[in-house]
Amino acid sequence: MSDKITCLIVDDEPMALNLVESYVDKTPFLQLLKKCNSAIEALDFLNEERVDLIFLDIQMPDLTGLELAKLLPKSTRIIFTTAFDQYALEGLKAEAIDYLLKPFDYNEFFTAVNKARDWFSMTRKAKKEKTDQMEFIYVKSGFKQLKIQLDSVLYLEGLKDYIKIWLKNEPQPILTLMSLKTMEEELPADKFMRVHRSFIVSLKNVEEVERHQIVINKQRITVSEQYRTQFMNYLSENSLE
């Protein structure tokens, strides 16, 4: 399980985007997933993908950073980046990790992300202790609640608002009304990994890796560029020297 913190930068000023990107690039425990020049663009991305930490400007057209913050799940944390100190109180109300006042330097940035690292370290440890004991999940399929043993899951395939859950020795998948993003948040992160916007795989059932493709039960699944670093880190951590 990678200890990197995935992040998103949201700012309508190109220079601010590039500056924060340069700070993220020199911080080993951060992994940048995307830069967005509006909260609307960020919201569209977040509807599909899970992100740990957002560097979020406040004053933006159409949808402000504070308005976007109200739409985020609690598992996604925020560091506000703004040129206006009058928003500090509202930032605290949004339970932000920190509040960086522009222009800020790398030392200030690093202090803020260290707070984020401490928070994620604590919450991930608590979640791991919980999921280590997790052997099954219940999913709604039709009018039934089905109990699924996690060891029997090969991979999960997202289809808009539905998920196909492919199981060992079963020719047909279980179909459930749920987003892949929601399912990703529920599954143990040391056993399952998102490798594509449409696929989560069971790591123990990966039979073969060829270039950027995973083979599970004769099915080839592409590891998309966005998830490639995380998956390659997993391979490296679990490879024999």
Side-chain angles (χ1 to χ4, degrees), residues 11 17 24 32 75 77 120 132 164-165 193 208 237:
D11 202 307
L17 276 176
V24 169
L32 181 62
S75 59
R77 303 313 306 269
F120 281 107
D132 277 349
K164 286 182 178 180
I165 304 174
M193 185 178 292
E208 183 181 325
E237 291 167 4

Side-chain angles (χ1 to χ4, degrees), residues 18 24 41 62 124 150 182 225 228:
N18 293 334
V24 169
E41 182 186 359
D62 300 323
R124 286 173 175 176
L150 293 182
T182 300
E225 185 176 354
R228 207 164 285 163

Side-chain angles (χ1 to χ4, degrees), residues 54-72:
I54 303 180
F55 298 98
L56 183 58
D57 187 24
I58 292 180
Q59 277 205 335
M60 291 182 288
D62 300 323
L63 186 70
T64 70
L66 289 169
E67 289 168 337
L68 175 62
K70 294 175 183 177
L71 304 175
L72 300 175

Side-chain angles (χ1 to χ4, degrees), residues 113-175:
V113 296
N114 256 328
K115 292 179 186 178
R117 180 163 62 170
D118 289 343
W119 188 90
F120 281 107
S121 177
M122 179 181 64
T123 55
R124 286 173 175 176
K125 181 180 178 182
K127 184 177 180 181
K128 187 176 187 305
E129 289 172 354
K130 178 182 176 181
T131 57
D132 277 349
Q133 308 302 318
M134 191 174 176
E135 297 179 355
F136 59 85
I137 56 172
Y138 279 96
V139 298
K140 186 176 181 181
S141 185
F143 296 102
K144 299 178 181 178
Q145 289 281 350
L146 301 179
K147 182 179 181 179
I148 298 176
Q149 296 291 335
L150 293 182
D151 281 350
S152 70
V153 177
L154 295 170
Y155 60 91
L156 303 96
E157 181 180 0
L159 300 167
K160 292 187 177 179
D161 296 327
Y162 287 85
I163 296 175
K164 286 182 178 180
I165 304 174
W166 294 89
L167 306 176
K168 293 177 182 176
N169 305 317
E170 295 291 343
Q172 298 298 322
I174 291 172
L175 194 64

